[in-house]
Amino acid sequence: MTTRWFLLSTLLLCAPAASHAEDAAVLWDKSCKNCHGPDGRAQTRMGQKESIPDMSRAAWQKAESDAHLRDVIANGSSHNPKMKAYKDRLSPEQMDALVRYIRTFKPQEKAP
Ligand code: HEC
C-alpha cells in the first residue's frame, strides 16, 4: 500500500467516526449510563455496589487497552456478570464508537 492510499483510507475511516461521535453519546446514555454514570465515573448505585472502575482516572485509561475494552463490551466481563455481552445488541461499529467514547472520559486536569 502506498502512503497516499494509506492516508486516504485513514481519512475514510476517520470521517464516519467523527459523525458517529454523537451516536455513541446517545448509545452510552441509553445503555451504559445507568451503571457507569454519564461521565464514566460510575458514581451510581450500581457503580458503588459493584465497584465499577472510574473510567475517568488517568491510571485506568492507561492500564486498559482498546482491545480489552472492546472485548468486555462485546463479550461481557469475566469478573462480573452484571457487565453483559453486547455483541448481539450492538453492531461492531457501535462497539468501536463506544470504545472511542470511553476514551473521552479523560481526567479533567482541574478535577478535585
Ligand atoms: C447493569 C450495569 C451495567 C451496564 C448497563 C453496563 N455496564 Fe459496563 N460494567 C459493569 C460492571 C459491574 C463492570 C465491572 C466488571 C469488572 O469488575 O470487571 C463493568 C465493566 C465495564 C468495562 C470494563 C472495565 C474494566 O476496567 O475492565 C467496560 C469497557 C464497560 N463496562 C463498558 C460498558 C458499556 C460500553 C456499556 C453500555 C453498552 C456498559 N458497560 C453497560 C456494569 C454495567
Side-chain angles (χ1 to χ4, degrees):
M1 214 195 306
T2 67
T3 312
R4 187 180 299 186
W5 274 109
F6 178 73
L7 284 174
L8 183 60
S9 52
T10 308
L11 275 174
L12 288 172
L13 284 171
C14 291
S19 57
H20 284 317
E22 214 162 288
D23 298 354
V26 171
L27 259 179
W28 179 269
D29 281 3
K30 203 174 79 174
S31 315
C32 324
K33 190 178 76 174
N34 281 348
C35 297
H36 288 280
D39 47 7
R41 295 177 67 198
Q43 310 279 34
T44 62
R45 263 177 54 203
M46 181 70 82
Q48 249 127 46
K49 204 167 127 226
E50 304 294 335
S51 356
I52 302 180
D54 175 353
M55 292 173 166
S56 74
R57 282 174 51 236
W60 183 89
Q61 288 280 346
K62 221 172 128 191
E64 307 295 333
S65 67
D66 284 1
H68 169 76
L69 301 184
R70 181 67 164 69
D71 182 58
V72 174
I73 298 170
N75 302 310
S77 169
S78 50
H79 305 294
N80 191 328
K82 290 262 160 44
M83 180 58 209
K84 301 216 172 65
Y86 281 87
K87 64 173 183 294
D88 296 334
R89 279 177 273 180
L90 300 175
S91 69
E93 291 76 23
Q94 288 176 313
M95 291 189 281
D96 288 343
L98 281 168
V99 171
R100 283 192 297 269
Y101 190 67
I102 288 172
R103 292 303 183 200
T104 67
F105 301 144
K106 288 271 161 62
Q108 264 91 62
E109 296 299 336
K110 280 171 278 181

